[in-house]
Amino acid sequence: MNLAVISFAPVIIIACYIYFRDKYEKEPLRLLMKALAAGALAVIPVVLFESLFTFIGPGEPSVIQAGYTAFIVAGITEETFKFLVFILFIWRNQHFNEKFDGIVYAVFISLGFAAVENLLYVTQLGFDVGVSRALTAVPAHALFGIVMGYHLGIAKMIPERRAKHMLLGLLVPILLHGIYDFIIMSGHPLALAIFLPYLVFLWFNGFRKMKVISESSRFKSKQIHEGS
């Protein structure tokens, strides 16, 4: 029971925060649950591809091996499948009708993935790992989702900037994810020394992007007018 709580509690807390942070037009709960479930199911192909890439990658522990695992095995594989889930299940949906929606749906997809990944880690490695991941890995997945959703929201609402932001919506989360994992996997004292500053950067960057997109909501002026 304790393992389930520590696995899912951070996911629920972050999901609730993002839902209520969407101030001007809430997304339908049914679609949010669909995004969460689709993100969870994305674990299946991710595990298969990560196993393949691990098998063909460098075997001896080294900085090169850490970089390969961080950026190729984890970063590219996980963020690409989250991106594909977004495109397949959310992109054409009528409820994706403002930029902040991109953040909401991308974060819910990321949290669905993080919930299953977290459960797998916690059941194998125990409660202490669950506590650590609740404070670092699960929020990191959400923060990667914020960046992905930020760019996909712009891509959706501003067609003339679509190609650029579709590409950024995939590549930037891969880069951020790869750096996060490389810091941990390298085990190098200098890399580990920047882990907490890097987390602070991710949080600052995520909250700033949410604020910028929220303030530019197409529904903001409508709500203010109705409330006056």
Side-chain angles (χ1 to χ4, degrees), residues 7-203:
S7 296
F8 299 126
V11 170
I12 295 170
I13 291 170
I14 296 171
C16 289
Y17 172 77
I18 292 296
Y19 177 77
F20 290 107
R21 187 67 177 75
D22 186 12
K23 297 187 291 186
Y24 303 113
E25 192 207 34
K26 292 282 189 291
E27 301 312 298
L29 289 174
R30 183 176 180 180
L31 186 56
L32 292 176
M33 293 303 102
K34 181 179 179 181
L36 202 68
L41 290 173
V43 171
I44 298 172
V46 165
V47 168
L48 294 174
F49 275 89
E50 286 186 339
S51 298
L52 173 62
F53 290 143
T54 299
F55 178 75
I56 64 177
E60 293 297 322
S62 64
V63 173
I64 293 176
Q65 192 269 346
Y68 176 84
T69 302
F71 287 93
I72 307 299
V73 177
I76 288 180
T77 305
E78 294 178 17
E79 299 306 323
T80 296
F81 275 98
K82 293 178 195 173
F83 181 89
L84 290 175
V85 167
F86 191 108
I87 299 303
L88 290 172
F89 291 96
I90 303 299
W91 181 260
R92 297 184 184 278
N93 193 282
Q94 62 179 344
H95 294 289
F96 182 18
N97 57 5
E98 71 159 329
K99 287 179 281 188
F100 198 87
D101 293 349
I103 290 178
V104 176
Y105 291 119
V107 170
F108 269 73
I109 290 168
S110 296
L111 288 174
F113 181 91
V116 177
E117 183 186 60
N118 211 33
L119 182 62
L120 294 174
Y121 272 102
V122 171
T123 53
Q124 292 177 29
L125 302 175
F127 186 82
D128 291 344
V129 170
V131 173
S132 174
R133 289 182 58 81
L135 298 174
T136 56
V138 176
H141 273 291
L143 292 165
F144 305 148
I146 288 173
V147 175
M148 181 180 291
Y150 170 85
H151 288 291
L152 291 179
I154 294 174
K156 176 75 171 185
M157 297 300 126
I158 309 177
E160 59 270 23
R161 298 167 65 181
R162 181 162 296 167
K164 172 185 174 181
H165 283 278
M166 289 285 283
L167 187 61
L168 289 174
L170 176 60
L171 295 183
V172 178
I174 288 174
L175 178 63
L176 295 177
H177 193 148
I179 292 172
Y180 176 93
D181 281 1
F182 179 74
I183 290 172
I184 297 171
M185 293 175 182
S186 69
H188 195 283
L190 290 178
L192 294 174
I194 68 170
F195 182 65
L196 286 179
Y198 185 63
L199 281 181
V200 172
F201 161 75
L202 289 177
W203 280 99

Side-chain angles (χ1 to χ4, degrees), residues 213-227:
I213 292 296
S214 180
E215 290 301 310
S216 65
S217 170
R218 58 187 291 216
F219 297 105
K220 179 180 179 181
S221 58
K222 177 182 178 181
Q223 188 180 89
I224 293 174
H225 177 74
E226 290 175 350

